[in-house]
Amino acid sequence: MRWGKILIMTVIILLVAGAAALAMAPVPKSVAERWPWAAQNLPWYKDINLGLDLQGGVHVVFEAVDTPEAPITEDSMNRLIAVLERRVDGFGVAEPVIQKQGERRVIIELAGITDPEKAVEDMVRTAYLEFKTDDGQTVLTGADLNDARESREPVSGLVDVNLTFTPAGANKFARITTENVGRQLGIYLDGELLQNPVINEPIIGGKARITGYQSLEEAHTVAVLLRSGALPVKVEVLYKNTVGPTLGLDSLTKSVKAGIVGLIAILVFMAVYYRVPGLVANLALIIYAMIVLGIFIGLNGTMTLPGIAGFLLSLGIAVDTNIIIFERIKEELRSGKSLRSAVDTGFKRGIVAVIDANATTLIAAGVLYFLGHGRVQGFAVTLSIGILASLFTAITLTKWMLQLVAASNLVRNPKYFGA
C-alpha cells in the first residue's frame, strides 16, 4: 500500500467533514461567545434569503383601471411601477419581486411582511397631499414636495413627519404663509384632514412639519407614501395570496426534512450497491451540496419551494452522473482490465453520455428561465447551478479520488467496485 496516497485521502475526508459541520451545524454558545465572527457567519445556510412561501408574506396582482382623468398608457404604467417600487423599498423588504404582466397588471411579492393586509393597503393608497387655506383653496400639492422623513423629538417624544419642499414649492410656501399669518392652513392626505395649524409667522426655509402621529411606524408609512408620490393611475387589487409565517415555517421544515431523508437514502444506496466508488461518490455529493450552497449564497439568491425542488432534482442528476460512470467502470473491470485502467477508460467513455444528458437538461432549464417568471425562473436557476456543479464534481473530484484509491492499492479486489 502507498501510505502517501492514503494520507491524502484521509486529509480530504477530514476537511470535507469539517466544512460540512461548519456549513450546517449550529454554533455552540461557548464558541459564539469566544469568537463572535463564528456566531455572525455560521452556519452558512442562515444567509440564504427565503421566499414568501418559506417565511410568509404576500403575493398580490394589481390591475390598472382606465379612467377619463388618468387613461392607461405605456408611460403611465411605467410611472406606476416606479412609484410602487419606491413604496416597496420603504418597507425594507429583502429581495422583493416587482414585475409587469401584460399591459395593465403588476405582480408584487413581498417576503417576511408581518402585516400583509396593511402592506397592500399602503401600496395602493393615492397619497395625494394638499395644503388648503381656511376658505378651502388648494395652494400646495405633493408635486411641490422634495422629501419627507419621519422623526421623533428627543425631549417631548412626539412623532412627526418633516417635509422639505422643492425650490419652487419653497417659494410658494413662503408666499402663502406670509399672506396668511394668523389664519389656518389645512394639511390633507387623500382628502383626509391631518392637521390644521395656525400660521404664526412666515415660513421661508422651505420646510414644514406634520404632527399628531401615534407611532414612529405610522409616521414612516406616511413619509414613504409622500416621498414616492401619488399613483399616476387608479389601481385595483385583482388577486391576493397571503402566506402566514407559521405556514411558511412548516413548508420549510417539511422541505428540509424531505431533503435530508432523500439524501440519506441516496448515500446508503450508493454505498451498498457500488461499494468503494459509492463511498467516493458520497463524498463528492457532500462537496457538491456545499458548492451549490456557496454559489447560491454568493449570488444572493432567494430560495423558494420550487428552488428546493430544483436543488433536489439536480442532486438526483448528480447521482445519475456517477452511476453512468460507475457502470462503465464495472464493464471495464469485467473485461479483465486493471483497476487503474478501468477507472481511466470508464470515465473517458462514460463522460460523453453524461455531458449529452446534462446538456439537454440545461437547455430545458434555459427555456424555463427565459419564458417563465418568478418561481419558475428560481427553479430553472437552481437546477442549472446544480447541473453545472454536478458536472464539475464528477469530472474532477470523483475521477481524481477514484484514481487516488486505485493508486493507493488500498482496495484491489474488483468486487469492492461492484464488479
Side-chain angles (χ1 to χ4, degrees):
M1 290 189 293
R2 299 180 180 178
W3 293 103
K5 305 290 185 182
I6 296 175
L7 179 61
I8 293 174
M9 289 190 293
T10 304
V11 171
I12 293 172
I13 293 172
L14 292 176
L15 287 175
V16 172
L22 288 175
M24 304 305 295
V27 179
K29 185 177 180 181
S30 58
V31 175
E33 291 175 351
R34 187 170 182 179
W35 292 290
W37 178 89
Q40 296 174 0
N41 298 279
L42 300 174
W44 296 341
Y45 65 80
K46 74 177 183 179
D47 294 327
I48 296 179
N49 299 316
L50 301 179
L52 68 90
D53 52 359
L54 295 178
Q55 66 168 319
V58 61
H59 171 94
V60 60
V61 180
F62 295 118
E63 184 171 60
V65 179
D66 203 357
T67 62
E69 298 81 12
I72 304 299
T73 64
E74 183 177 355
D75 178 65
S76 65
M77 288 300 300
N78 291 335
R79 287 188 288 120
L80 170 64
I81 293 176
V83 172
L84 290 174
E85 285 178 345
R86 289 195 293 270
R87 293 188 177 183
V88 168
D89 289 341
F91 297 152
V93 178
E95 301 297 325
V97 175
I98 305 172
Q99 58 186 23
K100 185 179 178 182
Q101 183 185 57
E103 296 181 355
R104 299 190 175 193
R105 294 181 182 177
V106 180
I107 299 175
I108 296 181
E109 292 185 355
L110 306 177
I113 289 291
T114 56
D115 191 349
E117 299 292 337
K118 185 177 183 302
V120 174
E121 179 184 346
D122 290 341
M123 278 189 285
V124 297
R125 285 179 62 179
T126 54
Y128 186 66
L129 180 69
E130 296 174 282
F131 288 78
K132 295 184 178 182
T133 58
D134 52 8
D135 60 359
Q137 180 185 2
T138 300
V139 290
L140 276 174
T141 67
D144 299 302
L145 196 64
N146 183 50
D147 196 11
R149 299 287 171 178
E150 73 281 2
S151 66
R152 185 191 297 274
E153 295 185 9
V155 178
S156 63
L158 295 177
V159 176
D160 51 34
V161 174
N162 297 301
L163 307 179
T164 303
F165 295 103
T166 62
N171 292 332
K172 289 182 185 179
F173 194 60
R175 177 177 54 80
I176 292 163
T177 54
T178 301
E179 296 174 353
N180 292 275
V181 173
R183 298 177 181 176
Q184 290 180 309
L185 183 66
I187 303 175
Y188 293 79
L189 181 64
D190 295 338
E192 179 183 348
L193 180 64
L194 294 179
Q195 193 178 352
N196 198 22
V198 175
I199 303 174
N200 296 319
E201 59 183 358
I203 304 174
I204 59 175
K207 295 182 179 180
R209 185 179 64 174
I210 306 175
T211 61
Y213 298 102
Q214 299 299 317
S215 65
L216 193 63
E217 289 75 18
E218 181 185 1
H220 172 73
T221 299
V222 173
V224 168
L225 294 174
L226 294 178
R227 287 200 303 270
S228 63
L231 298 179
V233 293
K234 183 179 178 181
V235 172
E236 292 182 351
V237 178
L238 187 65
Y239 170 78
K240 179 176 62 178
N241 179 35
T242 301
V243 179
T246 302
L247 182 60
L249 180 61
D250 182 64
S251 299
L252 177 61
T253 302
K254 289 181 178 179
S255 299
V256 171
K257 186 181 294 185
I260 292 174
V261 172
L263 180 60
I264 292 175
I266 289 172
L267 296 179
V268 171
F269 168 78
M270 294 297 290
V272 171
Y273 191 80
Y274 287 100
R275 299 160 196 177
V276 172
L279 293 174
V280 171
N282 289 344
L283 192 64
L285 283 176
I286 295 173
I287 297 174
Y288 153 83
M290 291 191 292
I291 290 175
V292 174
L293 180 66
I295 292 175
F296 202 82
I297 294 174
L299 293 176
N300 198 29
T302 299
M303 182 63 75
T304 62
L305 282 175
I308 292 177
F311 171 73
L312 295 178
L313 178 58
S314 67
L315 183 63
I317 293 174
V319 173
D320 188 54
T321 297
N322 287 297
I323 288 175
I324 293 173
I325 294 172
F326 293 165
E327 289 295 332
R328 296 296 302 182
I329 292 176
K330 287 166 62 176
E331 291 177 5
E332 299 300 326
L333 286 172
R334 291 190 184 110
S335 68
K337 288 187 178 181
S338 66
L339 181 56
R340 297 181 67 175
S341 177
V343 170
D344 292 336
T345 307
F347 265 93
K348 187 180 297 183
R349 294 183 176 178
I351 203 64
V352 176
V354 166
I355 292 176
D356 288 345
N358 284 280
T360 55
T361 309
L362 279 174
I363 292 172
V367 172
L368 287 175
Y369 180 82
F370 287 106
L371 297 184
H373 65 274
R375 300 177 188 179
V376 175
Q377 288 181 322
F379 170 82
V381 169
T382 310
L383 180 60
S384 299
I385 292 173
I387 291 172
L388 294 175
S390 68
L391 277 173
F392 170 77
T393 54
I395 295 174
T396 59
L397 293 174
T398 305
K399 181 180 180 180
W400 177 60
M401 287 188 288
L402 277 178
Q403 289 174 337
L404 203 60
V405 171
S408 68
N409 291 327
L410 182 63
V411 180
R412 300 179 182 180
N413 196 326
K415 73 176 183 180
Y416 292 111
F417 283 79

